[in-house]
Amino acid sequence: MLADERREAILRAVERQGSITVKELAEEMGVSAVTLRQDVRELAGRGLLTRVHGGARALAPAGPAPAETPAAPSATERYAVGLVVPPGGYYYAEVIRGVQDAARSLGVRVVLAVSGESLSENQEQVRQLVAGGIDGLLLMLHPGLRPVDEAEQWLSGLEVPAVLVERRAGIKAGRLEQVASDHAYGAALAVRHLAGLGHDRVALVARVESPNTAHLSAGYAEAVESMGLRPGPEYRIVTGADAAPADGRFDEVIRAVEAGEVRAALVHNDIDAIALVGILRARGLRVPEDLALVTYDDEVAELSETPLTAVAPPKQAVGAWALDLAVRRLSRPDTPQAEILLRPELRVRASCGAQRRASA
């Protein structure tokens, strides 16, 4: 069915029924919901019908607006995009803010959904968003989503265009576009900075459960090798409900610092780095004198008693680029798919010792 034929059929259905849902009419016409949503947008832009969440209705007659009009999308909205995020965690708030800012400038309505930890919970959230008529998806899925193969197979078959946000998928989910911080680059940035301050051995302290730890470890190892540094120890800490108290969590790190085996470290994330600084101080050890420290995150690093040098992932920019990529895909479906990595930046403060060295 040609585009003009589809649009004429939509107008006839709206005139006959008063309103239609995209999902039902797409099934009746034997076309995809994505294609039909694009047709509805085109017709609404020409003033031939009114686009509402999940479908369209006939143009309202002159006079008072119907009672449900306040809940309908604004006529200026180009698309409705669903944003799925995990529960909790301050990391996500900055990404969401980036999505919001971009949505305002692009005329996009964002519908937020908070997913659970299981694959079925994520699938249900996405199902509800698609059934509600969203045009595209931004997915910041729970980092512990299992099983991975099944999750990627599900993602590859989504009905609407989707962008993974601060997540990376394998080849099985190749239809998905992706926008993320280049965490490997960020880790290498920290190692190079500490090496430039004279440290020939740098430790890595990272959370077991973080989806970013594998990327941090890869960037760390590459920087150590390329700069000819002595391989430093990598520590994995557990911070979940069953984790040891903070002082026990860092036992190995503390012993290495006390023994003089570790004099510089990259710690992921700010909360763990600040906790480590406090434990070191309680043991009579100082930052940066006994341990030059760089944290990875920069949400609260500056608030530490000793302000922490930090690698800052571009979280707001990730959100903005993700929404922009979704809009580009919706506007021009035939454009090549993209995987975008945005580079973090290093913000130098007192904890690495750079300021002391500069004043010496």
Side-chain angles (χ1 to χ4, degrees):
M1 185 179 289
L2 298 175
D4 287 344
E5 295 174 337
R6 289 195 312 269
R7 291 164 188 171
E8 287 177 10
I10 293 169
L11 290 173
R12 287 195 300 271
V14 169
E15 183 179 357
R16 182 174 64 250
Q17 300 167 207
S19 66
I20 57 100
T21 67
V22 166
K23 184 177 181 182
E24 291 177 357
L25 190 58
E27 291 174 356
E28 181 182 324
M29 294 172 61
V31 299
S32 74
V34 173
T35 298
L36 212 62
R37 287 191 189 97
Q38 291 172 341
D39 291 335
V40 167
R41 282 193 296 272
E42 170 67 21
L43 293 169
R46 288 157 53 185
L48 299 176
L49 50 71
T50 300
R51 185 176 173 227
V52 298
H53 188 54
R57 60 175 169 79
L59 295 174
E68 67 272 15
T69 297
S74 163
T76 62
E77 287 172 354
R78 298 170 61 194
Y79 304 105
V81 173
L83 171 60
V84 181
V85 301
Y90 59 65
Y91 192 101
Y92 308 121
E94 288 297 299
V95 180
I96 293 170
R97 188 171 295 114
V99 173
Q100 286 179 301
D101 291 344
R104 280 190 288 269
S105 65
L106 293 171
V108 173
R109 181 164 62 92
V110 175
V111 182
L112 182 67
V114 179
S115 68
E117 296 184 11
S118 70
L119 177 58
S120 61
E121 288 172 307
N122 283 270
Q123 289 172 321
E124 177 59 18
Q125 289 287 5
V126 169
R127 187 197 68 77
Q128 291 182 20
L129 287 168
V130 173
I134 55 93
D135 302 299
L137 287 163
L138 302 181
L139 301 175
M140 195 158 33
L141 302 175
H142 193 281
L145 206 60
R146 297 290 184 275
V148 173
D149 286 348
E150 189 176 335
E152 292 195 349
Q153 184 176 5
W154 163 61
L155 291 171
S156 69
L158 291 173
E159 298 177 36
V160 298
V163 179
L164 283 184
V165 186
E166 281 294 21
R167 298 289 185 266
R168 312 277 288 280
I171 192 67
K172 291 184 180 179
R175 287 183 60 246
L176 271 73
E177 299 187 278
Q178 305 177 35
V179 180
S181 300
D182 190 344
H183 297 298
Y185 176 87
L189 199 61
V191 172
R192 292 190 190 99
H193 178 70
L194 289 166
L197 296 174
H199 298 283
D200 65 351
R201 190 168 189 250
V202 178
L204 174 64
V205 183
R207 292 188 172 197
V208 167
E209 65 270 23
S210 170
N212 299 329
T213 291
H215 302 299
L216 293 172
S217 181
Y220 162 85
E222 184 177 350
V224 166
E225 181 178 0
S226 66
M227 299 192 71
L229 305 179
R230 290 190 296 147
E234 292 192 42
Y235 302 100
R236 297 290 182 266
I237 58 173
V238 178
T239 58
D242 300 327
D247 52 354
R249 205 178 301 158
F250 295 106
D251 270 348
E252 288 185 76
V253 182
I254 299 296
R255 284 197 295 268
V257 176
E258 288 177 328
E261 297 169 0
V262 169
R263 301 297 304 275
L266 168 62
V267 180
H268 174 50
N269 58 25
D270 291 359
I271 299 299
D272 295 328
I274 290 172
L276 179 57
V277 170
I279 297 166
L280 288 169
R281 184 178 63 249
R283 301 283 187 93
L285 299 166
R286 298 172 299 166
V287 170
E289 291 86 351
D290 297 300
L291 180 69
L293 190 151
V294 176
T295 183
Y296 195 95
D297 212 2
D298 203 32
E299 284 291 339
V300 293
E302 198 169 12
L303 302 181
S304 174
E305 181 179 358
T306 301
L308 304 179
T309 293
V311 176
K315 300 170 192 175
Q316 289 192 33
V318 165
W321 275 76
L323 186 70
D324 183 73
L325 196 59
V327 170
R328 287 172 186 265
R329 174 61 48 199
L330 291 166
S331 303
R332 299 191 293 276
D334 295 332
T335 56
Q337 291 186 316
E339 179 178 345
I340 298 172
L341 291 178
L342 302 181
R343 289 183 169 180
E345 64 175 305
L346 183 73
R347 296 170 182 168
V348 178
R349 302 187 182 101
S351 67
C352 62
Q355 294 173 347
R356 290 173 180 268
R357 179 169 177 155
S359 61

